[in-house]
Amino acid sequence: MNYALILFLILLTGFFIFGIRRSMKMSNKSVELIAKYENDKNNPALIDEIFDFIGRDAALGKILRKYNADKKDIAELHKKLTVYGDFRKYNRYIPITSFFNATTLEYLLKNKNDSPKSLTEKMMNHFHF
């Protein structure tokens, strides 16, 4: 019984560490892109970096494949989010940060035909703007 409990705690700790590490990686990349493209928000390299990074992540890549999303979809969504959400609050910038969260990425891809205002409002509510 004790061995099973110890094994369970080790697995739970490993799962927790993995989750925290992944979350920090996503946050760091988001902040890096915000800082890098702060004065060059329409640079096509930004879309390439976002798409490449989220495509390599297991959870976000799965969402991209689920909705058959490509760089064009990410570029269109980024453009829509920039219309009403082109401002920064601390380390959050809606047109970039929204792509690094599984919940928001899925919402964006599922509702990619919605109006820019609707999408931006949903993202602002999610990130507590």
Side-chain angles (χ1 to χ4, degrees):
M1 181 67 174
N2 287 337
Y3 293 118
L5 183 59
I6 291 171
L7 180 62
F8 175 73
L9 289 176
I10 290 171
L11 289 173
L12 188 61
T13 303
F15 184 73
F16 176 77
I17 291 171
F18 174 76
I20 292 296
R21 182 178 167 273
R22 181 183 171 277
S23 177
M24 290 299 296
K25 188 169 76 169
M26 291 295 162
S27 178
N28 289 339
K29 185 62 174 183
S30 176
V31 170
E32 174 192 325
L33 291 176
I34 292 168
K36 184 175 180 180
Y37 293 101
E38 186 170 19
N39 297 319
D40 194 13
K41 297 171 183 166
N42 295 319
N43 190 335
L46 170 61
I47 303 304
D48 293 338
E49 286 194 53
I50 290 172
F51 187 79
D52 292 341
F53 190 81
I54 63 177
R56 286 191 308 260
D57 183 70
L60 299 177
K62 184 178 178 181
I63 295 169
L64 286 177
R65 288 185 296 279
K66 177 179 177 182
Y67 292 98
N68 295 318
D70 56 8
K71 286 182 186 178
K72 182 182 172 193
D73 293 327
I74 300 299
E76 289 174 5
L77 287 167
H78 180 266
K79 185 177 178 180
K80 284 184 175 185
L81 293 173
T82 304
V83 172
Y84 291 101
D86 191 15
F87 56 90
R88 183 176 177 174
K89 181 180 179 185
Y90 306 113
N91 287 329
R92 294 184 183 138
Y93 177 63
I94 294 293
I96 293 177
T97 309
S98 300
F99 296 106
F100 291 92
N101 182 295
T103 308
T104 56
L105 179 63
E106 182 149 19
Y107 180 84
L108 288 171
L109 292 173
K110 183 188 292 186
N111 300 291
K112 63 184 171 186
N113 295 323
D114 286 3
S115 71
K117 185 175 182 180
S118 170
L119 291 174
T120 305
E121 284 178 351
K122 181 69 173 180
M123 296 302 108
M124 289 173 70
N125 287 336
H126 181 84
F127 291 111
H128 305 290
F129 269 74

